[in-house]
């Protein structure tokens, strides 16, 4: 470990306090070191509104975080019917009492004065307030009109990764069996579709093989495109505490930016965007060349290794190095660390999922573990991470278009089983074609095939690529749009009906994090005005549409969160995500529980595949797979022939260059991503003072060498342009790789005079003004991190730093350039000054 990483890991090892007032400048808090194989110590983080003491709190209400995918368990402090603070739950297995900055401060957005409190309908081109009957009757009438005129294919649903399980399942039943449409997806398509698809390709089924507790045992942690320190800060605290303890794990980091993870790594590889498959093939080449292969495991539990060996034989580090623009020796060193690991954990996130060849690359990470036999035991696991708090439920419940319970839409027995659960005819469950992914839903709306689009809990007018096109789609007169949200978002401003939704803390339900841990979130306070839970809205719609099962009974037979959960349990029974052993009472008071939880596993299941591969047989699998290059489906017959015994599939992939390469006109690679202090399009975090002040405005990152070539300095106003549009922001000069421009994607227009899009010739603010309409052929996930752009200097600054945090990957390259009190959150670390030639210049030198 480098001296800098060691000092970071060992800092502040004194007993933690409950004060969280410094958790913007010190996001990860104090260290509680621990040894491998031991239990992560507890640390209780708490934040109460100024003037409120613990003794003033009337009730503490159990919940978990809704602003990332980690699933940090917490309690909400309630006084006089209002939320007044939060504290971590030390009893919980996920966070052991710790909370990140968004956990500690984000809840304050619930009390924003601009919350929607009454429904709105469009009259004479303007949105006007109305009562619930008027709004819901209008939606029901339009739904019936479209069904009569054009059929179920005229209706689409686009939902979120932030609703509750009970709400997704109700939506899934309504959309699939009530309406009969296949046009159902979530914004999880933008962040974790590749996670699901890679698990299906390798193991036949969705479901995280590993567990967060594997970090407690690992001697090596490899992070591929995963800035854990900012996207899952509490999980990063767990890693930091291991690094501060005896026998710390070695870290391998693959990321083009100088993230906190990269600075703590033994080897940091900073490849060109779109070259992940080339890099991973070189790592696999080295494992095989040096004999770091568990042949017994491969023979017992996998098929396809010979094909992989043949493919990567042509991919030595000397081949990959110029493609990826990283040192050959650094690739060899990373492979040596992974190859010598006795207990390996790998994590994957958007640097893989939102880049070129996303699924192919994520599958190669799975292959690392299959080749090394590193699955199903403590410290050995893959974490194909999620990006949102309830993304796992979107996938489990079928709100992403798949069939609920990880059933295979191509398997008639699976369809019949689901029809039995819903008491409908099998032909009432759409399964004559693949589910329609989000990008195709919007394309069908653009072409006039979809005429009614119901958007719940997401903001595509900021989050989808090529925003000028998305605004044009949403603005069509022929498209009837329903938006269900907390605020009048950029998307809601295009709606024909806007429904005010209750949110976390104002309703009851369950949700499941990235390592399959199910938490209960109890209602703590009443929602504002007439706002209703998403569950109540979907139940109301089902009643007005009078959906019936085959016996004439209401199709949706539940009436509240707990009865909806019990209905879901019946749907999940006997499936990989079996919830039958979980109850609301069982979740109250203690820790979250990992599925599957049933009679066989009454306490839950820490890790999957402890005794072989469970759900890869042709009769059981969720999918027969796809071609990793083209996305063409594998037939049932082909799958049975290739995998007759239901083993894991070691699936090779050829590296293919990105579709949009740089050019003389657009010489830079465009990269977009997240910052620690915000979530998605800032509809919540942008309304919280602590988080807003930490990262108040969009910025643009370049390396020092790239900035010099432009003639630009820290704080200058620059314009980022692509073939699709442009945006402007202040320049932050960082230690990122040369030849790349990075823009955080959170910033839209709701807090600008324009309201919902760019205005005049001042340029846009949203990163997705410039991203490309392209997606992975397998997962259908949009590609946000592989496109070509240019940066132009608009005006020189006055010496004021860019409004970017200094505690994170956006820290400035020159430590004396930005005072600790300026330019965003925190103090500037004493980072080494130096240019970037497309690699981490410290990579090969680290021990």
């Amino acid at each position: 470990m480098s001296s800098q990483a060691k000092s970071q890991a060992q800092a502040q090892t004194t007993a933690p306090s409950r004060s969280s007032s410094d958790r913007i400048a010190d996001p990860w808090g104090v260290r509680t070191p621990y040894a491998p194989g031991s239990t992560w110590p507890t640390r209780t983080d708490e934040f109460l509104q100024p003037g409120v003491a613990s003794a003033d709190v009337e009730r503490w209400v159990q919940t978990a975080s809704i602003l990332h995918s980690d699933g940090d368990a917490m309690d909400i402090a309630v006084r006089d019917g209002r939320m007044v603070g939060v504290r971590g739950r030390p009893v919980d297995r996920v966070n052991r009492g710790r909370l990140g900055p968004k956990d500690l401060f984000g809840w304050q957005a619930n009390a924003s004065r601009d919350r929607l409190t009454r429904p709105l309908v469009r009259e004479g081109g303007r949105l006007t307030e109305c009562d619930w009957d008027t709004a819901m009757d209008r939606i029901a009438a339009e739904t019936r009109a479209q069904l009569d005129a054009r059929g179920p294919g005229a209706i689409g649903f686009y939902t979120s990764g932030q609703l509750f399980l009970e709400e997704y399942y109700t939506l899934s039943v309504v959309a699939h069996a009530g309406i009969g449409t296949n046009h159902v997806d979530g914004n999880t398509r933008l962040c974790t579709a590749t996670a699901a698809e890679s698990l299906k390709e390798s193991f036949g089924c969705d479901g995280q093989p590993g567990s967060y507790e594997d970090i407690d045992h690992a001697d090596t942690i490899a992070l591929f495109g995963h800035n854990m320190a900012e996207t899952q800060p509490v999980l990063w605290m767990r890693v930091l505490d291991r690094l501060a303890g005896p026998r710390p794990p070695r870290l391998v980091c693959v990321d083009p930016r100088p993230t906190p993870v990269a600075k703590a790594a033994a080897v940091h590889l900073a490849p060109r965007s779109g070259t992940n498959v080339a890099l991973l093939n070189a790592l696999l080449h080295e494992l095989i060349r040096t004999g770091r292969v568990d042949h017994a495991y491969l023979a017992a539990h996998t098929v396809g290794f010979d094909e992989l060996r043949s493919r990567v034989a042509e991919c030595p580090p000397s081949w990959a190095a110029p493609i990826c623009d990283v040192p050959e020796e650094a690739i060899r060193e990373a492979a040596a660390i992974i190859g010598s690991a006795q207990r390996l954990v790998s994590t994957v996130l958007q640097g893989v999922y939102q880049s070129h060849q996303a699924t192919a690359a994520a599958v190669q990470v799975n292959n690392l573990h299959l080749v090394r036999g590193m699955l199903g035991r403590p410290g050995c696991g893959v974490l194909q991470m999620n990006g949102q708090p309830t993304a796992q439920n979107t996938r489990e419940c079928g709100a992403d278009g798949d069939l609920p319970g990880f059933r295979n839409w191509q398997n008639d027995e699976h369809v019949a089983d689901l029809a039995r659960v819903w008491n409908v005819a099998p032909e009432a469950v759409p399964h004559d074609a693949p589910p329609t992914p989000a990008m195709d839903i919007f394309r069908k709306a653009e072409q006039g095939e979809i005429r009614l689009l119901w958007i719940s809990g997401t903001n595509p007018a900021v989050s989808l690529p090529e925003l000028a096109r998305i605004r044009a789609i949403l603005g069509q007169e022929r498209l009837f749009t329903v938006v269900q949200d907390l605020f009048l978002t950029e998307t809601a401003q295009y709606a024909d009906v806007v429904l005010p939704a209750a949110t976390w803390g104002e309703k009851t339900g369950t949700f499941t994090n990235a390592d399959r841990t199910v938490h209960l979130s109890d209602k703590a306070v009443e929602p504002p005005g007439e706002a209703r839970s998403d569950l109540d809205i979907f139940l109301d719609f089902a009643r007005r549409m009078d959906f019936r099962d085959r016996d004439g009974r209401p199709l949706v037979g539940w009436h509240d969160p707990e009865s909806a959960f019990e209905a879901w349990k019946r749907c999940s029974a006997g499936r990989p995500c079996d919830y039958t052993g979980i109850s609301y009472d069982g979740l109250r008071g203690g820790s979250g529980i990992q599925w599957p939880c049933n009679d066989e596993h009454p306490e839950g299941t820490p890790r999957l595949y402890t005794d072989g591969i469970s759900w890869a047989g042709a009769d059981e699998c969720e999918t027969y797979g796809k071609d990793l290059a083209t996305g063409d489906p594998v037939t049932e017959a082909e799958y049975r022939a290739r995998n007759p015994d239901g083993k894991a599939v070691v699936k090779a992939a050829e590296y293919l260059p990105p579709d949009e390469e740089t050019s003389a006109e657009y010489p830079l690679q465009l990269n977009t991503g997240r910052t620690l202090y915000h979530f998605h399009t800032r509809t919540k975090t942008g309304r919280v003072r602590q988080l807003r002040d930490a990262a108040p405005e969009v910025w643009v990152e370049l390396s020092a060498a790239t900035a010099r070539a432009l003639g630009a300095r820290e704080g200058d106003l620059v314009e980022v342009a692509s073939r699709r549009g442009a945006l402007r922001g202040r320049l932050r000069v960082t230690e990122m790789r040369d030849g790349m421009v990075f823009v955080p994607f959170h910033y839209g227009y709701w807090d600008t005079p324009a309201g919902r899009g760019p205005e005049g010739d001042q340029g846009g603010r949203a990163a997705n003004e410039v991203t490309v309409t392209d997606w992975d052929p397998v997962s259908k996930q949009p590609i946000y991190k592989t496109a070509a752009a240019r940066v132009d200097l608009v005006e020189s600054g006055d010496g004021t730093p860019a409004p970017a945090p200094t505690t994170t990957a956006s820290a400035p390259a020159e430590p004396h350039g930005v005072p600790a009190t300026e330019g965003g959150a925190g103090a500037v670390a004493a980072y080494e000054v130096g240019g970037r030639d497309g690699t981490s210049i410290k990579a090969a030198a680290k021990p």
Side-chain angles (χ1 to χ4, degrees):
M1 193 191 316
S2 69
S3 59
Q4 181 180 334
K6 185 171 291 185
S7 69
Q8 181 187 22
Q10 293 177 342
Q12 297 179 304
T13 56
T14 57
S17 76
R18 288 177 176 265
S19 172
S20 302
S21 59
D22 61 349
R23 291 295 301 282
I24 295 295
D26 179 20
W28 305 287
V30 298
R31 300 277 58 77
T32 54
Y34 67 118
S38 61
T39 301
W40 190 23
T42 61
R43 187 190 90 190
T44 304
D45 292 349
E46 178 181 296
F47 174 72
L48 297 174
Q49 282 183 342
V52 177
S54 293
D56 299 326
V57 176
E58 296 168 0
R59 292 184 296 126
W60 291 97
V61 180
Q62 180 177 336
T63 185
S65 174
I66 200 72
L67 292 174
H68 49 73
S69 67
D70 205 45
D72 303 336
M74 65 175 80
D75 294 322
I76 298 172
V78 179
R79 182 187 182 191
D80 296 331
R82 298 182 300 107
M83 294 183 185
V84 294
V86 292
R87 70 180 179 193
R89 292 179 57 79
V91 70
D92 198 86
R93 60 170 302 278
V94 169
N95 57 323
R96 305 278 287 164
R98 292 161 185 79
L99 298 175
K102 291 193 290 288
D103 302 332
L104 288 165
F105 305 117
W107 56 271
Q108 297 170 97
N110 282 35
S112 297
R113 287 177 290 183
D114 60 342
R115 282 285 299 273
L116 292 170
T117 59
R118 297 195 71 203
L120 305 172
V121 295
R122 190 167 295 279
E123 299 284 2
R126 299 174 61 87
L127 288 170
T128 60
E129 286 191 351
C130 66
D131 58 32
W132 274 95
D133 282 338
T134 298
M136 296 303 295
D137 282 346
R138 185 167 297 191
I139 295 169
E142 184 66 24
T143 303
R144 291 191 188 96
Q146 293 298 338
L147 288 172
D148 291 343
R150 296 179 176 83
I155 299 170
F157 293 87
Y158 183 54
T159 189
S160 179
Q162 300 169 61
L163 274 57
F164 288 170
L165 176 153
E166 296 80 357
E167 295 164 338
Y168 292 129
Y169 183 55
T170 303
L171 171 60
S172 182
V173 175
V174 164
H176 287 114
I179 298 292
T181 183
N182 218 15
H183 307 328
V184 185
D185 204 358
N187 65 7
T188 50
R189 184 66 55 185
L190 317 183
C191 61
T192 62
T194 300
E197 201 65 39
S198 69
L199 295 170
K200 296 178 197 177
E201 293 293 333
S202 296
F203 306 109
C205 184
D206 196 353
Q208 201 70 259
S211 168
Y212 292 168
E213 290 170 352
D214 287 329
I215 289 171
D216 304 344
H217 303 273
D219 60 40
T220 303
I221 304 173
L223 301 98
F224 296 92
H226 183 196
N227 182 5
M228 185 191 289
E230 299 192 55
T231 55
Q232 285 87 24
V234 169
L235 194 59
W236 180 239
M237 295 174 203
R238 196 168 196 145
V239 174
L240 286 177
D241 287 348
R242 278 294 320 277
L243 293 175
R247 303 189 301 284
R250 296 171 296 175
L251 269 57
V252 173
C253 173
V254 177
D255 199 303
R257 299 172 70 220
T259 66
V261 176
K263 293 183 178 297
V267 175
H268 172 208
L269 303 172
R272 284 178 54 84
S273 288
T275 63
N276 289 325
V277 168
L279 178 61
L280 284 155
N281 279 353
L283 294 174
L284 286 160
H285 171 100
E286 282 297 282
L287 293 185
I288 295 170
R289 183 188 69 81
T290 57
R292 306 294 177 87
V293 177
D294 189 333
H295 290 286
Y297 184 91
L298 286 168
H301 301 299
T302 75
V303 295
F305 175 67
D306 288 343
E307 180 187 345
L308 177 75
R309 178 167 50 193
S310 176
R311 168 67 64 192
V312 303
E314 305 170 355
C315 305
S318 59
W319 164 83
I323 293 173
C324 304
D325 193 20
V326 297
E328 177 182 341
E329 185 53 38
I331 299 175
R332 295 189 189 279
E333 185 179 358
I337 291 174
I338 292 170
S340 61
Q342 298 301 304
R343 296 177 184 269
L344 170 67
V345 169
S346 294
T347 72
V348 190
L349 199 58
Q350 311 300 15
V352 170
Y353 301 160
Q354 294 180 343
S355 193
H356 176 60
Q357 291 192 280
T359 305
V363 165
Q364 303 319 302
V365 177
N366 295 340
N367 286 344
L368 290 173
H369 283 257
L370 292 169
V371 166
R372 297 239 46 231
M374 295 281 176
L375 283 173
R377 50 196 172 91
C380 301
V382 177
L383 293 170
Q384 296 280 356
M385 295 296 294
N386 298 340
Q388 295 187 77
T390 65
Q392 192 65 47
N393 304 120
T394 315
R395 284 148 46 185
E396 295 164 4
C397 297
D400 66 343
D402 289 335
L403 297 186
F406 299 156
R407 291 172 171 87
N408 187 343
W409 67 271
Q410 295 174 282
N411 186 320
D412 288 342
E413 291 186 6
H414 286 203
V415 175
D417 180 61
L418 181 62
R420 176 191 56 78
V421 172
W422 289 347
N423 194 29
V424 298
E427 55 268 24
V429 179
H431 64 284
D432 58 345
T436 309
M439 298 300 288
D440 267 349
I441 288 176
F442 280 85
R443 180 180 61 82
K444 289 177 183 296
E446 183 178 38
Q447 296 174 346
E449 182 177 339
I450 289 178
R451 294 297 183 95
L452 189 157
L453 181 59
W454 191 327
I455 300 170
S456 52
T458 188
N459 191 15
V462 178
S463 60
L464 284 181
E466 198 173 346
L467 287 182
R469 172 175 173 261
I470 299 303
R471 287 189 291 265
I473 294 170
L474 293 172
Q476 297 176 103
E477 285 292 330
R478 68 186 178 187
L479 181 65
F480 186 90
T481 306
V482 180
V483 173
Q484 185 170 311
D485 215 316
L486 314 184
F487 302 98
L488 193 66
T489 63
E490 292 88 340
T491 302
Q493 293 177 56
Y494 288 96
D496 295 280
V497 179
V498 179
L499 303 177
T503 187
W504 169 96
E506 301 165 358
K507 59 184 182 180
T508 293
T510 56
F511 50 95
T512 306
N513 77 345
D515 84 335
R516 297 173 285 103
T517 301
V518 184
H519 286 112
L520 176 68
S521 180
D522 268 323
K523 181 177 179 178
V525 299
E526 292 297 325
E530 299 176 20
R532 295 180 179 179
S533 74
D534 299 279
L535 177 62
D536 285 342
I537 294 170
F538 294 141
L539 290 175
D540 185 344
F541 176 69
R543 286 191 296 268
R544 290 173 194 269
M545 293 299 297
D546 196 26
F547 296 128
R548 297 281 169 169
D549 68 13
R550 66 194 312 169
D551 294 326
R553 295 189 296 256
L555 175 67
V556 179
W558 47 93
H559 61 280
D560 65 5
E562 190 163 9
S563 59
F565 184 77
E566 292 299 315
W568 162 247
K569 286 165 60 175
R570 292 189 291 274
C571 185
S572 75
R575 302 302 306 156
C577 51
D578 194 330
Y579 278 65
T580 53
I582 303 176
S583 67
Y584 273 29
D585 287 343
L587 291 172
R588 283 195 173 100
S591 175
I593 299 171
Q594 290 174 283
W595 63 250
C597 180
N598 48 28
D599 290 342
E600 185 179 355
H601 304 285
E603 303 301 319
T605 307
R607 51 189 63 82
L608 305 182
Y609 312 132
T610 57
D611 187 26
I613 308 304
S614 312
W615 293 93
D619 294 328
E620 295 83 27
C621 65
E622 187 180 0
T623 178
Y624 304 124
K626 298 174 184 174
D627 184 287
L628 294 183
T630 65
D632 292 340
V634 175
T635 67
E636 178 184 354
E638 290 170 332
Y639 186 83
R640 286 185 183 276
R642 180 178 191 181
N643 192 13
D645 299 318
K647 297 182 178 182
V649 179
V650 177
K651 210 161 190 178
E654 177 187 7
Y655 165 69
L656 302 170
D659 293 334
E660 182 167 286
E661 295 273 24
T662 56
S663 64
E665 185 178 5
Y666 298 102
L668 302 177
Q669 288 196 305
L670 173 68
N671 188 4
T672 69
R674 306 183 183 207
T675 185
L676 171 65
Y677 302 102
H678 284 305
F679 186 64
H680 281 203
T681 61
R682 297 169 55 253
T683 51
K684 297 186 185 78
T685 56
R687 289 173 164 88
V688 175
R689 178 185 56 80
Q690 294 93 335
L691 302 174
R692 181 182 63 245
D693 291 352
E697 184 54 84
V698 69
W699 69 92
V700 175
E701 293 180 23
L702 294 174
S703 73
T706 305
R708 281 196 299 272
L710 179 65
R713 298 171 58 87
E714 170 76 31
D716 287 352
L717 181 65
V718 297
E719 181 171 272
V720 181
S722 74
R723 294 176 176 88
R724 292 154 292 279
L727 67 95
R728 291 182 179 183
R730 294 289 171 179
L731 176 63
R732 166 54 51 87
V733 179
T734 79
E735 290 187 313
M736 69 186 294
R737 62 166 288 122
D738 292 341
M740 178 178 285
V741 53
F742 173 85
V743 183
F745 83 93
H746 308 286
Y747 298 86
Y749 303 97
W750 61 263
D751 54 345
T752 71
R756 67 181 190 182
E759 188 172 46
D761 60 355
Q762 297 305 303
R765 186 192 195 201
N768 285 318
E769 302 291 352
V770 295
T771 48
V772 63
T773 298
D774 194 10
W775 53 86
D776 181 69
V778 184
S779 67
K780 316 303 182 186
Q781 181 160 346
I783 297 173
Y784 291 100
K785 295 179 179 289
T786 311
R790 71 171 185 267
V791 176
D792 297 307
L793 177 64
V794 176
E795 87 182 8
S796 298
D798 60 3
T800 302
T806 59
T807 55
T808 62
S810 56
E814 299 183 21
H816 56 275
V818 182
T821 56
E822 297 184 39
V828 181
Y831 298 141
E832 297 177 17
V833 177
R836 281 289 182 270
D837 62 357
T839 72
S840 168
I841 56 176
K842 296 183 287 183
K846 289 186 179 181

